[in-house]
């Protein structure tokens, strides 16, 4: 199994000091930063745009930007986020657009690509795309707001996707996002996850360094 990666969700940091939150993650030796992009349509909340991503780069943030587009029309925005400095761009399966073409376009733009499914979406919805992606993100809460409780009924979905990965010798990472703390991350790790988005549990931790170290030892 691949070594665990912690991808702190910048959405849970102080929005008046986003660069400082990102810098804290970098200073702790982490490699990834999760950027939740919300449009107020696909999910009932608004967050950042490509200019925020570009501003982080201008402030010298060196992290791997794990960019999660929670948008009703993600295909219209992949170029803007790639230009802004995203390293990986993940798109949802639920909206009606050409998923395969959008994933291919993300690669053409020089980024890695990922596919995301919401809690009520079955794993079978993304199965035809598994050979095309670098990452599969399983939402373990309904996306839109932080601080929701982890849904343990997503564990069988993780096991199914991990089984397909092993059977087909595919190299994508399996990421989880929603209610992730040390206990739920361990459950997800046992089910096959190797990449963990943590917002509140990281940025609001009494000791973020200790939290990050514990996640690295999952």
């Amino acid at each position: 199994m691949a070594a665990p990666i912690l991808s702190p969700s910048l959405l849970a940091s102080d929005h008046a000091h986003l660069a400082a939150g990102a810098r804290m993650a970098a200073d702790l030796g982490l490699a990834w930063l999760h950027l939740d992009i919300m449009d107020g349509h696909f999910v009932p909340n608004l967050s950042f745009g490509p200019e925020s991503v570009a501003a982080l780069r201008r402030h010298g943030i060196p992290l791997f930007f794990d960019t999660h587009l929670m948008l009703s029309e993600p295909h219209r925005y992949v170029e803007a986020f790639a230009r802004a400095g995203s390293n990986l761009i993940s798109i949802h399966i639920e909206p009606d657009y050409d998923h395969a073409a959008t994933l291919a376009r993300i690669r053409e733009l020089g980024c890695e690509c990922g596919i995301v499914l919401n809690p009520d979406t079955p794993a079978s919805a993304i199965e035809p795309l598994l050979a095309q992606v670098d990452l599969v993100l399983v939402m373990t809460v309904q996306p839109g707001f932080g601080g929701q409780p982890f849904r343990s009924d997503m564990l069988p979905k993780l096991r199914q996707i991990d089984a397909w990965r092993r059977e087909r010798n595919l190299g994508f990472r399996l990421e989880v996002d929603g209610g992730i703390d040390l206990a739920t991350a361990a459950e997800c790790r046992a089910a096959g996850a190797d990449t963990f988005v943590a917002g509140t549990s990281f940025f609001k931790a009494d000791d973020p360094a200790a939290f990050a170290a514990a996640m690295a030892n999952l």
Side-chain angles (χ1 to χ4, degrees), residues 18-213:
L18 292 177
R23 177 63 61 189
M24 181 184 78
D27 288 347
L28 289 176
L30 299 178
W32 285 38
L33 186 71
H34 192 79
L35 303 175
D36 289 299
I37 312 300
M38 305 179 183
D39 64 359
H41 297 282
F42 181 65
V43 293
N45 200 1
L46 295 166
S47 61
F48 320 121
E51 178 54 30
S52 298
V53 179
L56 291 170
R57 290 300 189 206
R58 288 196 298 272
H59 276 76
I61 302 303
L63 297 167
F64 182 92
F65 283 176
D66 170 24
T67 306
H68 174 193
L69 301 187
M70 285 174 270
L71 310 178
S72 58
E73 297 182 298
H75 53 293
R76 296 181 54 194
Y77 298 96
V78 294
E79 292 187 20
F81 281 99
R83 286 196 305 268
S86 296
N87 298 104
L88 183 151
I89 299 175
S90 296
I91 57 174
H92 272 261
I93 192 67
E94 291 85 8
D96 184 16
Y97 62 99
D98 192 331
H99 306 95
T102 304
L103 291 167
R105 181 59 181 150
I106 293 169
R107 282 194 186 281
E108 289 173 2
L109 292 164
C111 297
E112 296 183 23
C113 64
I115 194 72
V116 191
L117 63 170
N118 281 341
D120 294 334
T121 303
S124 58
I126 64 164
E127 185 180 2
L129 298 170
L130 292 179
Q132 194 179 341
V133 300
D134 300 291
L135 179 141
V136 171
L137 170 52
V138 173
M139 294 303 301
T140 46
V141 300
Q142 189 63 30
F145 294 94
Q148 298 179 62
F150 173 79
R151 285 184 53 171
S152 59
D153 58 329
M154 296 299 103
L155 294 172
K157 187 185 294 186
L158 288 171
R159 286 191 282 268
Q160 176 62 79
I161 295 169
D162 182 49
W164 286 331
R165 176 171 60 176
R166 293 171 184 274
E167 290 164 4
R168 302 172 195 185
N169 196 29
L170 297 174
F172 61 82
R173 297 196 70 90
L174 183 52
E175 184 173 54
V176 287
D177 181 0
I180 299 300
D181 57 22
L182 294 177
T184 58
E187 293 183 72
C188 292
R189 180 68 165 165
D194 49 44
T195 308
F196 305 88
V197 178
T200 303
S201 57
F202 175 77
F203 282 105
K204 304 297 191 295
D206 292 334
D207 188 344
F211 179 87

